[in-house]
Amino acid sequence: FFAESHRTMAKIRWIGGNALRANPNLIGHCVCGIADSDFNGIGLINNFRELKPGVVDVIADTQAPLRWCLFVEPGHVYAGREFTIEATLATEDVLKPGTYAVDFRIFGEPGAVWEKHVTFSIPQPPKGSDGPLAVNVFRESITLNVPPGVYEFTASLEQGGAPAGARRKFYVSAPVAASKDEVT
């Protein structure tokens, strides 16, 4: 139970870190609660000073200087219904100002089920200023007519760097038809 709750905390910390890094207006973030206190379970280590499962990987991923922040909304979608995918690139001046190309794909059991090639720009900051902390690269509403299962939204930068966070899993379910006896 406790080991699974620690793994769940790591997943939730990843979701939060992903959202924080995608915000171009956020200039800092403090990871508080290194150790559990008052039995609240928020720490990166437990009361025995042991690292919680998955927490080092999550911190390394979410704090990478160059990182994709990928979103699928909602996180569990229905085949044949519209949903939104979004990609923001968090960069701590890793990518220099210029134009970059990226390939977005969605993979599942049937293979690649969707793809799009886009270009985006990192703007030249004003003299004496830092570049943006995050750049919104892509947002689109799509519909997939695919079998139910686990799928991954992926981003692949063609040149300039190898960002962390390049995969986002999500679930597709078959819509359930309403029965004649169902009350609306």
Side-chain angles (χ1 to χ4, degrees):
F1 171 81
F2 291 109
E4 190 58 36
S5 71
H6 291 160
R7 279 188 281 279
T8 299
M9 181 274 300
K11 290 177 191 173
I12 292 169
R13 192 175 288 274
W14 184 87
I15 291 168
N18 195 47
L20 289 168
R21 290 297 305 279
N23 186 336
N25 300 311
L26 187 68
I27 59 168
H29 172 251
C30 176
V31 176
C32 59
I34 297 296
D36 286 347
S37 62
D38 302 326
F39 303 101
N40 58 18
I42 68 165
L44 305 177
I45 60 176
N46 64 24
N47 290 329
F48 303 105
R49 298 186 188 114
E50 300 164 331
L51 284 168
K52 293 180 180 177
V55 75
V56 172
D57 293 336
V58 166
I59 296 301
D61 178 67
T62 59
Q63 300 305 310
L66 184 61
R67 182 182 193 286
W68 284 112
C69 302
L70 303 178
F71 300 93
V72 177
E73 191 60 41
H76 189 138
V77 304
Y78 289 101
R81 293 190 187 164
E82 188 174 83
F83 64 99
T84 302
I85 54 177
E86 182 176 356
T88 298
L89 188 63
T91 176
E92 296 172 8
D93 294 330
V94 173
L95 289 184
K96 301 302 176 207
T99 301
Y100 296 88
V102 59
D103 290 315
F104 293 109
R105 290 186 178 89
I106 295 177
F107 294 96
E109 182 66 33
V113 297
W114 178 91
E115 60 185 275
K116 186 141 194 175
H117 179 83
V118 301
T119 58
F120 68 98
S121 295
I122 301 288
Q124 178 69 45
K127 189 169 179 79
S129 297
D130 293 327
L133 293 175
V135 176
N136 295 322
V137 174
F138 177 77
R139 180 181 170 91
E140 187 172 301
S141 292
I142 65 170
T143 302
L144 296 178
N145 292 306
V146 295
V150 178
Y151 289 81
E152 276 191 322
F153 174 38
T154 67
S156 179
L157 191 61
E158 289 187 1
Q159 80 283 349
R167 297 180 170 280
R168 174 75 161 135
K169 284 187 180 180
F170 66 100
Y171 302 90
V172 175
S173 291
V176 177
S179 69
K180 293 184 220 177
D181 299 330
E182 188 175 302
V183 176
T184 57

